[in-house]
Amino acid sequence: MKIAIAQLNYTVGDIDGNTSKIIGSIQNAKAQGADLVVFAEQAVSGTPAFDLLRKSTFLELCEDALVEIASCCDGIAVIVGLPILTSNGTISAAALIQDRKVLRYIGKKHITARREMGFLIPSKGFEYATIKGHKCAIIVGDDLSRERNFDHSAETVISINARKYGKGTLSYRYELMRNLAFVEGKNIVLVNQVGGSTDIVYDGSSGAFNNRGELVLMMKHFEEDFQIFDTKATDTPIEISTAGDARTQMVYQAACCGLRDFFRKNGYQKACIGLSGGIDSAVVAAIATAALGKENVRALLMPSQFSPDDSVEDAKILAENLGIEYNVIPITEIYTSVVNTLKPVIGGREFDSTEENIQTRIRMALLMAVQNKTDYILLNSSNKSENALGLCTLYGDTAGAFSPTGDLYKSEIFDLARYINRISNDVIPETILKKEPSSELHPGQKDSDILPPYEVVDAILYRMIEKGQHREEIINAGFDSDVVENIHRMIMRNEKKRYQFPPILRLSACSFGHERLMPLTNKYGD
């Protein structure tokens, strides 16, 4: 049997646009002689749809679209995902269409993602269908990782999915499928969607394994794609690499894809960013330029009396290397005016974090003015290490409409910067890469004044956040107890800042506010 895999980029709520894409791929599959064409989970509606899944009118429009799709399915079978309203609630289903008729819905049994809990209810799970004389098991979403012992007479397992990208998840996903195909002795076809949906990015990476557990078809990452898997063909196995540079490349592609679609799907075009001469804003500027085009990116350089001259020069060189428009707006006079204005209220007290934070809030006021006046959408330049530890200023450098790097640790930002330089002729100056991390909030200030090297910090943070390890486990692994305890305290007392962050593109398997959500008010660990 020839199975066409349509890996498409859908938009939540754009039922007409999604339907048009689906029908176009059906016509393409017909032209290529396919017996069956398969689309991703919730392809008709787009996902995650959250409270739209509770609106009867939204669900009715999805079913109306399915009727239109079915009318085009003469001479070909189709499996397409959409939400369906049942007497008990909304399910995520695969609609099976043959001979222009919707024969049945196969629902998802396991609701495991937080973004679906409370909006979808479990259904009975996978079912079998014979298509063109070929018996298939049709399965939806994460059920593939939980179901085993398929009927011996079934030749192919078809899984429609909406699997978001996360660092390291691709290798896990394909190892699971390889084992399942080998143990069950069946072909496995995985159809995923692709593209950004606010803070989620779907990597695509749809594919097929033969009944020997060999990967024989691998579709593009972060791009739409259309390929045909012939169950009778003898294909050469494909090797995939997810380590080292390949993994950093995936992170870069994910960030570009997520940022590009956040702008495109929301009707935005231009981005502005504050360039400090540091590594974080440099990486965000490079990603924005790649995703949106240099003509759509603008930077403000806002030095204060505490900014070294070389930071300003580094930021200028970066902007010129990227070919983006930039303006230099010194903030020393504004800063002095604000501090002097506050003196009757706070007195002439010793310089501390109050005055330091005024600088970042002034910068954000200027950047937001540019956004309001010129429609340049403000990008945030945060990283996961700073977000975890609270090394950020509320209503200052936490501001922005979108953060493409806020789920990447500081050491990963450096990895990404080096990768960007390898593919783009060293656009990020070497002086930025070699510069010791600093917020430049007072003369000579360095992050190392209060922290060990970020390689150590990030290793501890990763164990605490992604691995969920207790402090004792981390200390027993060889990390300094005082450092571990201090980092834990910083994480716990800065949840209030993370509650007020802009949307952060989720690039890890454990993102703040989603997979890791702590009570804002709690006494744990005191």
Side-chain angles (χ1 to χ4, degrees):
M1 182 169 68
K2 291 184 177 180
I3 303 173
I5 302 174
Q7 177 178 290
L8 302 177
N9 190 340
Y10 308 104
T11 300
V12 173
D14 185 12
I15 297 171
D16 289 342
N18 296 338
T19 300
S20 178
K21 283 189 170 193
I22 291 165
I23 290 173
S25 291
I26 291 171
Q27 303 298 351
N28 189 10
K30 286 182 188 178
Q32 296 193 39
D35 301 302
L36 168 68
V37 57
V38 188
F39 299 89
E41 181 182 6
Q42 296 186 46
V44 174
S45 59
T47 185
F50 298 121
D51 269 306
L52 290 176
L53 297 173
R54 293 174 174 160
K55 291 185 175 291
S56 57
T57 51
F58 176 75
L59 298 171
E60 288 167 4
L61 287 171
C62 290
E63 293 194 50
D64 290 344
L66 190 64
V67 173
E68 182 183 355
I69 291 167
S71 69
C72 303
C73 297
D74 48 311
I76 193 169
V78 172
I79 297 172
V80 62
L82 77 163
I84 292 292
L85 183 62
T86 70
S87 57
N88 295 319
T90 305
I91 65 171
S92 180
L96 174 61
I97 305 170
Q98 291 193 81
D99 299 322
R100 302 176 65 167
K101 295 179 181 178
V102 180
L103 300 184
R104 57 179 145 151
Y105 301 113
I106 299 97
K108 179 161 68 172
K109 184 177 182 179
H110 300 281
I111 308 299
T112 57
R114 282 192 178 182
R115 61 184 178 275
E116 296 179 341
M117 293 176 182
F119 304 106
L120 294 173
I121 63 166
S123 186
K124 62 181 181 178
F126 76 90
E127 296 182 20
Y128 299 103
T130 301
I131 302 169
K132 302 291 185 179
H134 191 97
K135 188 172 182 179
C136 301
I138 302 170
I139 191 165
V140 181
D142 198 42
D143 288 4
L144 183 66
S145 65
R146 297 167 183 269
E147 302 291 348
R148 294 293 185 275
N149 302 317
F150 295 100
D151 192 294
H152 289 296
S153 61
E155 300 174 65
T156 300
V157 177
I158 297 173
S159 172
I160 70 167
N161 234 297
R163 288 278 185 96
K164 76 178 186 71
Y165 170 74
K167 300 187 297 287
T169 57
L170 185 63
S171 55
Y172 166 80
R173 185 190 311 169
Y174 274 89
E175 184 61 20
L176 182 149
M177 290 175 60
R178 185 193 68 77
N179 287 334
L180 185 59
F182 179 78
V183 172
E184 295 287 331
K186 303 185 188 308
N187 306 312
I188 294 184
V189 175
L190 172 71
V191 185
N192 195 21
Q193 57 182 272
V194 68
S197 185
T198 309
D199 57 349
I200 291 174
V201 59
Y202 299 100
D203 56 271
S205 307
S206 306
F209 285 77
N210 63 23
N211 56 16
R212 295 184 298 278
E214 298 168 332
L215 178 64
V216 292
L217 186 152
M218 181 74 174
M219 299 178 76
K220 294 176 181 177
H221 309 310
F222 307 106
E223 293 182 47
E224 291 191 330
D225 200 359
F226 183 95
Q227 295 189 41
I228 291 181
F229 169 58
D230 189 339
T231 60
K232 294 182 179 179
T234 303
D235 297 304
T236 303
I238 299 169
E239 295 291 331
I240 60 172
S241 174
T242 57
D245 231 23
R247 184 166 175 169
T248 305
Q249 179 183 10
M250 289 281 286
V251 171
Y252 175 74
Q253 290 175 336
C256 288
C257 178
L259 178 58
R260 184 183 301 113
D261 275 354
F262 180 79
F263 271 65
R264 181 177 64 84
K265 293 180 180 181
N266 284 293
Y268 305 142
Q269 185 177 357
K270 297 177 180 292
C272 65
I273 183 171
L275 281 188
S276 66
I279 192 73
D280 300 306
S281 60
V283 167
V284 171
I287 290 170
T289 302
L292 308 174
K294 61 184 180 182
E295 68 280 5
N296 292 317
V297 181
R298 182 177 185 178
L300 293 188
L301 285 60
M302 298 165 285
S304 74
Q305 65 269 45
F306 306 124
S307 303
D309 291 341
D310 58 355
S311 289
V312 180
E313 288 306 310
D314 288 342
K316 286 181 180 179
I317 293 169
L318 172 69
E320 289 163 1
N321 288 349
L322 292 172
I324 62 175
E325 180 184 0
Y326 71 91
N327 300 94
V328 181
I329 306 176
I331 65 167
T332 300
E333 289 187 13
I334 305 173
Y335 172 82
T336 302
S337 176
V338 171
V339 171
N340 288 338
T341 302
L342 275 172
K343 277 184 180 179
V345 180
I346 63 176
R349 301 178 185 179
E350 184 180 353
F351 182 98
D352 60 17
S353 60
T354 303
E355 287 81 8
E356 291 177 349
N357 292 336
I358 285 171
Q359 296 175 76
T360 62
R361 291 179 178 131
I362 289 170
R363 291 182 176 115
M364 285 306 110
L366 297 177
L367 285 163
M368 288 303 299
V370 171
Q371 172 173 304
N372 295 156
K373 184 66 72 174
T374 65
D375 293 329
Y376 277 75
I377 302 302
L378 177 59
L379 296 182
N380 177 275
S381 300
S382 63
N383 64 68
K384 193 169 187 174
S385 305
E386 293 172 356
N387 296 347
L389 300 173
L391 300 179
C392 46
T393 301
L394 279 177
Y395 323 117
D397 53 355
T398 61
F402 191 68
S403 174
T405 57
D407 199 23
L408 297 174
Y409 292 109
K410 187 81 169 187
S411 51
E412 293 176 311
I413 296 290
F414 277 97
D415 290 341
L416 203 50
R418 286 187 281 267
Y419 174 78
I420 288 168
N421 274 358
R422 282 196 291 275
I423 65 171
S424 58
N425 199 28
D426 295 327
V427 293
I428 299 175
E430 188 68 18
T431 47
I432 291 179
L433 282 163
K434 291 181 176 179
K435 188 180 301 179
E436 186 175 349
S438 167
S439 300
E440 298 179 353
L441 296 177
H442 61 259
Q445 183 262 329
K446 305 291 182 186
D447 291 4
S448 58
D449 296 341
I450 58 171
L451 292 171
Y454 273 107
E455 291 81 0
V456 175
V457 173
D458 290 349
I460 295 171
L461 289 174
Y462 180 81
R463 287 171 178 265
M464 284 185 179
I465 298 166
E466 264 81 356
K467 295 295 185 182
Q469 292 183 358
H470 191 271
R471 283 161 282 167
E472 289 182 6
E473 291 181 80
I474 300 171
I475 293 167
N476 290 338
F479 292 91
D480 182 86
S481 60
D482 290 340
V483 171
V484 171
E485 293 291 348
N486 184 45
I487 286 176
H488 179 261
R489 282 193 298 271
M490 293 175 77
I491 293 174
M492 296 302 292
R493 70 172 178 243
N494 283 293
E495 192 70 23
K496 62 183 181 296
K497 291 186 178 181
R498 293 187 287 272
Y499 263 63
Q500 301 184 63
F501 263 65
I504 291 176
L505 187 63
R506 294 159 64 180
L507 299 173
S508 76
C510 190
S511 304
F512 284 121
H514 298 278
E515 293 81 17
R516 188 189 187 281
L517 181 60
M518 298 295 290
L520 181 57
T521 304
N522 81 89
K523 290 288 187 179
Y524 174 76
D526 276 6

